[in-house]
């Protein structure tokens, strides 16, 4: 099985956009937090996070199929591939595993958190409070591209309240603020 370092190098080779790279790193960070919460393999879950959108820039019309095809060729575990396929609702791939449920749950939420940080005067996640994030979530005019229903469904699939889910991902991203460029 490829290592996390190899997964990270692969994502960087396939993705030029710095914002997309940061998004995948944010999803990686959130996936690590959920792996710890559930006592799962952190590196494996991190790979799903860091690779989930690797083909989005090169093959937007074939995402995530093209990336999964390459990952399968390179010997990535089926659990990771299934999670990546399941993170995109339009694939119809059911999210059966905790990893797949977590990937779906954190994908849109990391985008909302990042957008909330970018409108802060200091552009830092360190001072972003859950109450402020919840206001941004409720404001339909803010970050219109973020699918709030998927965030709700994701939390529900994990058996968490929306507040618990938001707090866990916000804290995970806060701890890695420097890596994510959100300090």
């Amino acid at each position: 099985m490829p290592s996390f370092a190899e997964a990270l190098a692969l994502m960087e080779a396939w993705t030029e956009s710095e914002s997309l790279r940061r998004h995948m790193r944010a999803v990686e960070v959130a996936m690590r937090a959920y792996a710890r919460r559930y006592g799962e393999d952190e590196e494996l879950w991190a790979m799903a996070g860091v690779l989930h959108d690797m083909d989005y820039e090169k093959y937007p019309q074939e995402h995530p199929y093209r990336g999964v095809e390459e990952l399968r060729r390179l010997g990535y575990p089926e659990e990771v591939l299934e999670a990546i396929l399941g993170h995109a609702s339009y694939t119809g791939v059911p999210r059966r595993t905790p990893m797949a449920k977590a990937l779906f749950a954190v994908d849109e939420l990391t985008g909302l958190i990042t957008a909330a940080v970018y409108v802060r005067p200091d552009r830092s996640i360190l001072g972003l409070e859950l109450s402020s994030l919840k206001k941004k979530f409720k404001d339909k005019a803010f970050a219109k591209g973020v699918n709030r229903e998927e965030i709700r469904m994701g939390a529900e699939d994990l058996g968490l309240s929306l507040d618990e889910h938001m707090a866990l991902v916000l804290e995970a991203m806060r701890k890695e603020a420097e890596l994510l460029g959100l300090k």
Side-chain angles (χ1 to χ4, degrees):
M1 179 175 80
S3 68
F4 177 76
E6 290 169 313
L8 183 59
L10 180 64
M11 177 275 282
E12 289 174 349
W14 276 58
T15 309
E16 288 182 28
S17 162
E18 191 55 40
S19 63
L20 185 54
R21 285 180 177 193
R22 281 196 184 137
H23 166 68
M24 288 187 278
R25 294 307 302 263
V27 172
E28 168 215 331
V29 163
M31 288 297 287
R32 285 182 184 278
Y34 271 110
R36 286 189 298 274
R37 178 184 175 100
Y38 295 128
E40 296 286 347
D41 182 334
E42 199 175 312
E43 294 291 293
L44 191 65
W45 284 46
M47 279 192 241
V50 85
L51 293 169
H52 80 283
D53 279 347
M54 69 175 253
D55 61 352
Y56 187 78
E57 197 175 67
K58 282 185 175 185
Y59 305 103
Q61 302 305 318
E62 299 171 67
H63 167 71
Y65 304 106
R66 185 64 77 97
V68 166
E69 184 180 288
E70 178 66 7
L71 296 173
R72 184 170 282 124
R73 189 184 71 73
L74 294 171
Y76 281 83
E78 279 301 314
E79 182 182 13
V80 170
L81 307 183
E82 187 177 311
I84 291 172
L85 286 169
H87 95 277
S89 295
Y90 58 83
T91 66
V93 173
R95 293 175 288 279
R96 295 184 292 232
T97 65
M99 179 194 290
K101 290 175 183 180
L103 183 59
F104 178 77
V106 304
D107 187 25
E108 291 290 311
L109 180 53
T110 60
L112 180 71
I113 292 169
T114 300
V117 170
Y118 285 167
V119 297
R120 292 178 54 76
D122 61 3
R123 293 179 62 95
S124 171
I125 196 171
L126 301 179
L128 179 62
E129 297 297 328
L130 180 60
S131 58
S132 181
L133 181 61
K134 287 166 57 176
K135 284 180 189 163
K136 297 291 188 200
F137 180 84
K138 289 176 185 169
D139 179 358
K140 302 289 187 259
F142 178 77
K144 289 182 196 173
V146 172
N147 188 324
R148 285 150 171 85
E149 189 52 37
E150 286 191 357
I151 294 172
R152 269 193 210 90
M153 285 172 35
E156 191 176 299
D157 287 350
L158 290 170
L160 299 174
S161 71
L162 187 57
D163 283 10
E164 288 172 306
H165 177 49
M166 290 175 123
L168 189 142
V169 175
L170 177 59
E171 184 56 28
M173 289 176 66
R174 207 182 268 138
K175 286 180 180 171
E176 295 294 342
E178 197 163 319
L179 171 76
L180 302 176
L182 301 175
K183 197 167 186 178

